[in-house]
Amino acid sequence: MRIYLIGYMGCGKSTLGRRLAEKMNLQFIDMDEYIEERNFRTIPQIFTEEGEPAFRLKEQKALSELSEFAGVVIATGGGAPCFFDNIGLMNRTGITIFLNIGPDILAERLLSSKTERPLIKGKSKKELAAFIDETLQKRRPFYEQAKLQITEPDIDLNFLFTQIEDL
Ligand code: S3P
């Protein structure tokens, strides 16, 4: 069993992923942490030193490695499904779940988040809202290719579990 959680920054993929992995007795992997460990640098460092295109290549490589892991729940980076054929690879090798959270909640959560995210660093509240609207519109068609969609990060895991089994 291999489950990929996808969705915008701040939608709660890691939190849900940890809960789901525990419930299903699977290993939880945060893809951003995996990239950081493999490259001996933080995500912000990779963006600053090499730029976004280089980060996307490292992300693609990480995903191709992780797509061979078994018994895992993987929380992917917010942009991961939207580059190369990453969403295709995820759909071919596992169960994809889109955590579909509205832009207002995302903005609120990202403003109060302590995680450093290079793409939104230094943005005012207004700039952040505009950035989310613009990028979410471009990313949605990729996210919507997921096999399952949920709109509630606190979803009842038994219910989610039955949906996964029904696939
Ligand atoms: C990104 C999301 C981040 C991280 C990187 C780029 C994006 O992951 O991969 O900063 O393009 O949306 P989270 O979704 O875990 O914040």
Side-chain angles (χ1 to χ4, degrees):
M1 169 83 78
R2 188 178 301 113
I3 297 176
Y4 299 100
L5 295 177
I6 69 172
Y8 205 81
M9 292 177 266
C11 71
K13 289 163 293 195
S14 298
T15 311
L16 175 66
R18 282 200 180 84
R19 286 174 60 216
L20 191 59
E22 195 181 338
K23 166 97 184 155
M24 297 179 73
N25 225 351
L26 301 171
Q27 185 194 350
F28 172 72
I29 297 177
D30 180 294
M31 201 163 100
D32 283 342
E33 286 176 14
Y34 182 89
I35 296 170
E36 291 183 332
E37 281 162 20
R38 291 294 181 289
N39 291 277
F40 308 103
R41 275 173 298 163
T42 64
I43 302 289
Q45 278 171 334
I46 297 171
F47 267 79
T48 310
E49 290 165 16
E50 294 186 55
E52 183 176 347
F55 169 74
R56 296 300 170 196
L57 287 172
K58 293 182 196 310
E59 187 175 56
Q60 183 190 32
K61 182 167 186 289
L63 182 64
S64 113
E65 290 168 11
L66 291 170
S67 70
E68 293 182 1
F69 283 36
V72 283
V73 176
I74 302 163
T76 65
C82 317
F83 291 84
F84 310 108
D85 179 38
N86 291 349
I87 185 65
L89 176 65
M90 289 191 251
N91 274 330
R92 287 192 297 277
T93 56
I95 295 165
T96 42
I97 304 177
F98 170 30
L99 195 38
N100 185 0
I101 305 296
D104 296 347
I105 297 177
L106 291 175
E108 237 172 73
R109 295 173 62 146
L110 288 170
L111 276 173
S112 61
S113 165
K114 290 189 185 66
T115 307
E116 191 181 330
R117 293 178 165 98
L119 291 179
I120 56 171
K121 198 178 171 202
K123 292 203 187 307
S124 67
K125 199 173 170 179
K126 218 172 144 188
E127 287 165 344
L128 178 65
F131 180 82
I132 294 174
D133 279 347
E134 191 194 320
T135 45
L136 197 51
Q137 207 180 325
K138 290 193 193 132
R139 290 180 172 193
R140 210 171 255 291
F142 297 93
Y143 294 153
E144 285 179 346
Q145 292 174 46
K147 293 180 187 169
L148 282 177
Q149 256 197 55
I150 60 176
T151 51
E152 180 50 71
D154 296 330
I155 186 166
D156 173 33
L157 290 184
N158 288 322
F159 174 66
L160 181 57
F161 193 53
T162 54
Q163 283 191 301
I164 291 172
E165 281 193 317
D166 285 349
L167 281 175

